[in-house]
Amino acid sequence: MESLVCVAVWAVTLAMVMAFTMWAYRWSHPKANGRLPPGSLGLPLLGETLHFFAPNPTCDVSPFVKERLGRYGNIFKTSIVGRSLVVSADPDLNYYVFQQEGKLFESWYPDTFTEIFGRDNVGSLHGFIYKYLKTLVLRLYGQENLKAVLLSETDHACRASLASWASRPSIELKDAISTMIFDLTAKKLISYEPSKSPDNLRKNFVAFIRGLISFPVDIPGTAYHECMQGRKNAMKVLKKTMQERMADTGRQSEDFFDVLIEEMRREKPVMTEAIALDLMFVLLFASFETTALALTLGVKLLAENPRVLQALTEEHEAIVSNRKDKDAGLTWAEYKSMTFTSQAILEIVRLANIVPGIFRKALQDIEFKGYTIPAGWGVMVCPPAVHLNPEIYEDPLAFNPWRWQDKVEITGGTKHFMAFGGGLRFCVGTDLSKVLMATFIHCLVTKYRWRTVKGGNIVRTPGLSFPDGFHVQLFPKS
């Protein structure tokens, strides 16, 4: 009897091993109607996720991507957080993916990103509804409103913030810039004023950001759990605000949230509560975090490159010297005259690579350069691998704004530059981001000097962060 039990146990064990082996083989050798790009899908389910999230303490392309580019070329396959992906560092494929959105590809992000940003976030919407939301957002962030309203408000915010920081022994620059931009944009979006609100809304977004690009384990103590809690708390504030405003039928429109509520009250509304809340959440996040990171890196790069700082200072001091009133606010004509500043901003965002990957999904089997991208597979366009490619940018890790001299103005994504995305989803906040960066630089270099106190080291996991901060001391110019 005992021997029969042993045989049965061994038979079950052998069957399980064989079943797992067959499953693992099918995982690592997926079927395709053509030739898949080279690469490895890693371990079943886990894939190569751990390697993807490994820290990288430089501005260079992440070791995860760099190693695979050397081994497989500019197009390779992998698996991250349980999804099969084709990673593209190929400028032609990147451009093709952006141009074919809505036909052969659609916007897509891994399930973990969807959980973080919401099922109805703007990145997950397509067709008419996406274009409709984009039109609404451009009312706020388009050039007309930038020129009429936001430039002046941005200039005032930068002046006031820098003056306040100069009175302190030192400031942590990333946190200070984030606070400045968040307070400015949150006021435009939801009339939020931190001094008058019982909810520390920015604190929730900081918690959200810490785990935004982290290993997706929702267990207390993990960065991902902190991220999800931050989103949950921020959404509570937004839902409460929406309920209060929906009940106040006599309220006059004062901010962008009111615009969305007006859309919800239409006879046949396209806007739903879920879409409105997820849109507000994404706008509050995107409006400050990416620009604050880029500006912080920009100030670090300026401190390390005095020749660039000198050229910027000369351009901005010339603008001030041509004013009748030296203390007057920045004008749109002055902003548009900032030729070298525009080059410096392009160079900062090229090196910052705030977005490590832009995701799309293949809607059908797609043949490109001899490879097949199967229907349903994700495609990760990898901007850093293009922006730091020595065949495209000479000495790519050098901070050299002059490389953009005499180049055609970039108003959308190109094969070789996609810091603001590309195609139909070219970032609607691009102009706002450029205005914020130019205005901050103008106020900084015309009125202040600064020195690094401590920190400034960067880590990419794969998003950009300053783990020990970047502390600087500001000195007013005499």
Side-chain angles (χ1 to χ4, degrees):
M1 184 69 178
E2 186 175 339
S3 61
L4 289 175
V5 171
C6 288
V7 170
V9 169
W10 275 105
V12 170
T13 302
L14 181 61
M16 291 176 64
V17 169
M18 291 179 63
F20 177 80
T21 302
M22 292 175 63
W23 175 62
Y25 180 84
R26 285 197 297 267
W27 165 271
S28 59
H29 297 78
K31 292 182 179 180
N33 296 320
R35 178 186 170 211
L36 286 170
S40 169
L41 298 182
L43 297 172
L45 298 181
L46 184 62
E48 298 188 306
T49 305
L50 294 177
H51 295 118
F52 179 75
F53 285 108
N56 171 31
T58 74
C59 271
D60 204 353
V61 179
S62 73
F64 173 84
V65 172
K66 191 173 235 185
E67 290 168 7
R68 286 154 181 79
L69 292 180
R71 193 181 309 163
Y72 305 122
N74 283 345
I75 304 173
F76 63 88
K77 68 177 181 288
T78 185
S79 176
I80 300 170
V81 292
R83 286 301 300 258
S84 300
L85 294 173
V86 170
V87 178
S88 172
D90 184 285
D92 294 326
L93 178 54
N94 296 343
Y95 190 73
Y96 182 71
V97 168
F98 289 142
Q99 294 306 307
Q100 292 297 318
E101 180 168 348
K103 302 171 186 174
L104 301 180
F105 299 90
E106 69 179 13
S107 178
W108 166 84
Y109 281 86
D111 292 342
T112 50
F113 280 66
T114 304
E115 290 297 325
I116 288 171
F117 282 111
R119 293 286 170 185
D120 293 298
N121 80 82
V122 66
S124 299
L125 300 175
H126 311 287
F128 165 76
I129 185 64
Y130 171 75
K131 293 177 183 178
Y132 161 75
L133 293 180
K134 184 175 181 178
T135 300
L136 287 179
V137 175
L138 283 173
R139 289 191 201 174
L140 179 64
Y141 290 158
Q143 283 209 11
E144 185 177 332
N145 201 42
L146 280 170
K147 184 177 180 180
V149 178
L150 289 178
L151 176 64
S152 174
E153 293 180 351
T154 299
D155 182 58
H156 180 269
C158 289
R159 288 176 180 235
S161 296
L162 284 162
S164 172
W165 303 342
S167 65
R168 306 177 198 173
S170 72
I171 57 154
E172 199 291 289
L173 192 63
K174 162 59 173 55
D175 184 68
I177 294 175
S178 292
T179 300
M180 177 191 76
I181 300 177
F182 184 83
D183 290 349
L184 174 66
T185 54
K187 186 173 183 178
K188 301 301 295 184
L189 289 167
I190 60 173
S191 298
Y192 176 78
E193 295 189 35
S195 61
K196 299 179 181 179
S197 175
D199 303 298
N200 189 336
L201 188 57
R202 183 177 169 273
K203 180 180 178 181
N204 294 323
F205 276 93
V206 169
F208 168 78
I209 289 160
R210 286 196 189 112
L212 176 59
I213 305 180
S214 61
F215 195 78
V217 177
D218 195 2
I219 299 173
T222 64
Y224 186 78
H225 179 76
E226 187 179 2
C227 171
M228 296 304 293
Q229 290 300 114
R231 171 181 166 79
K232 180 180 177 181
N233 293 332
M235 290 298 283
K236 282 182 181 178
V237 176
L238 293 177
K239 286 180 181 179
K240 179 182 175 184
T241 303
M242 173 176 282
Q243 289 167 357
E244 290 172 350
R245 296 196 185 185
M246 290 293 287
D248 185 3
T249 55
R251 177 184 170 87
Q252 297 297 310
S253 182
E254 297 178 6
D255 54 36
F256 189 68
F257 214 168
D258 288 328
V259 172
L260 299 189
I261 289 173
E262 286 175 8
E263 292 296 311
M264 290 170 62
R265 285 175 173 155
R266 289 180 178 273
E267 186 176 345
K268 294 181 179 180
V270 175
M271 184 68 63
T272 66
E273 179 178 322
I275 291 174
L277 289 171
D278 281 344
L279 177 61
M280 292 305 304
F281 182 86
V282 169
L283 289 177
L284 282 165
F285 158 73
S287 294
F288 81 99
E289 178 61 12
T290 53
T291 305
L293 279 168
L295 266 176
T296 303
L297 181 64
V299 173
K300 172 181 162 65
L301 291 169
L302 290 177
E304 296 169 349
N305 294 270
R307 179 168 168 251
V308 179
L309 177 57
Q310 179 62 31
L312 273 175
T313 302
E314 289 173 0
E315 178 169 87
H316 288 277
E317 287 182 344
I319 288 173
V320 173
S321 67
N322 287 329
R323 292 175 183 161
K324 292 181 180 179
D325 179 1
K326 306 303 180 187
D327 292 323
L330 193 65
T331 68
W332 188 256
E334 289 172 342
Y335 164 67
K336 297 300 287 185
S337 75
M338 297 175 183
T339 304
F340 188 72
T341 304
S342 178
Q343 295 169 201
I345 289 172
L346 290 177
E347 187 70 346
I348 289 168
V349 297
R350 181 187 70 84
L351 287 169
N353 287 306
I354 303 298
V355 179
I358 302 171
F359 294 87
R360 297 292 185 266
K361 182 170 69 174
L363 297 176
Q364 62 187 58
D365 286 354
I366 295 162
E367 299 291 328
F368 195 90
K369 291 189 175 181
Y371 297 128
T372 294
I373 303 174
W377 274 45
V379 177
M380 189 181 91
V381 171
C382 187
V386 175
H387 294 160
L388 302 174
N389 185 339
E391 295 180 4
I392 299 172
Y393 296 98
E394 183 180 353
D395 194 6
L397 291 174
F399 180 50
N400 177 20
W402 288 276
R403 74 171 81 242
W404 299 97
Q405 195 168 4
D406 301 324
K407 297 283 174 61
V408 177
E409 182 180 2
I410 294 177
T411 57
T414 71
K415 287 185 180 181
H416 298 152
F417 185 80
M418 56 196 73
F420 301 104
L424 292 173
R425 292 177 186 266
F426 186 73
C427 178
V428 294
T430 298
D431 288 331
L432 172 63
S433 182
K434 289 179 178 179
V435 164
L436 279 164
M437 294 180 72
T439 306
F440 184 85
I441 289 170
H442 174 76
C443 296
L444 177 65
V445 302
T446 56
K447 294 184 177 294
Y448 300 94
R449 295 177 294 106
W450 72 93
R451 72 177 183 90
T452 300
V453 176
K454 63 179 180 178
N457 298 317
I458 69 166
V459 169
R460 297 178 183 274
T461 55
L464 174 66
S465 65
F466 293 82
D468 51 357
F470 182 40
H471 300 260
V472 301
Q473 183 178 14
L474 294 172
F475 304 94
K477 289 183 176 179
S478 56

